Amino acid sequence: MTDDISRPYKSTVHIALPSIQYAQHLKDVVSVDEEVSNKVVKSFSVVTPQEVDGSDDDRGSDVIDREVGDDNSRRVLRINFMATDAKMLRVAMSTTYDMINVALKCFQEFEDL
């Protein structure tokens, strides 16, 4: 079955995390639930700060630390959203941010375990 639905509304979110473990755990947590309808598609990947689009300009330099060690290089969670309309994009992003907020609070609460 091919998906011929046009999804012209797109957004990409990058979330810098302190380690590859945090990035992978967050990806695992937020990617579990699929969207209810086919109007929104999300994809998740863990990338290096250098792979973040726009890394040559100054906009992202305050958010993502460019000095990364070899063992911790893939520590940025990238989430790509594609939607059929602006409202669906907004709802999907808002829901995802809520899930990320809860997950990060859990990570912070239980980081010693």
Side-chain angles (χ1 to χ4, degrees):
M1 181 174 143
T2 59
D3 187 3
D4 294 333
I5 297 174
S6 174
R7 294 184 183 88
Y9 296 89
K10 300 175 181 172
S11 182
T12 301
V13 175
H14 294 100
I15 301 169
L17 295 152
S19 71
I20 187 173
Q21 290 84 10
Y22 276 94
Q24 189 61 50
H25 288 315
L26 187 58
K27 176 183 176 250
D28 293 344
V29 168
V30 297
S31 65
V32 170
D33 296 327
E34 292 195 17
E35 292 296 319
V36 176
S37 75
N38 63 354
K39 294 182 178 182
V40 177
V41 173
K42 296 185 289 190
S43 64
F44 303 88
S45 58
V46 178
V47 299
T48 65
Q50 292 77 16
E51 292 177 85
V52 174
D53 293 338
S55 61
D56 293 335
D57 61 24
D58 292 333
R59 291 183 295 157
S61 61
D62 291 337
V63 178
I64 297 174
D65 179 12
R66 301 285 180 220
E67 297 177 15
V68 180
D70 293 335
D71 60 335
N72 234 0
S73 61
R74 292 193 176 273
R75 62 183 182 86
V76 178
L77 177 61
R78 174 185 289 163
I79 308 171
N80 293 311
F81 296 87
M82 296 181 294
T84 56
D85 57 67
K87 179 182 177 183
M88 293 305 296
L89 179 64
R90 179 187 57 80
V91 170
M93 291 182 71
S94 177
T95 302
T96 303
Y97 275 118
D98 288 344
M99 290 187 336
I100 290 168
N101 189 29
V102 170
L104 292 177
K105 285 181 181 180
C106 288
F107 293 169
Q108 188 176 27
E109 184 72 24
F110 298 108
E111 72 180 328
D112 292 335
L113 298 179

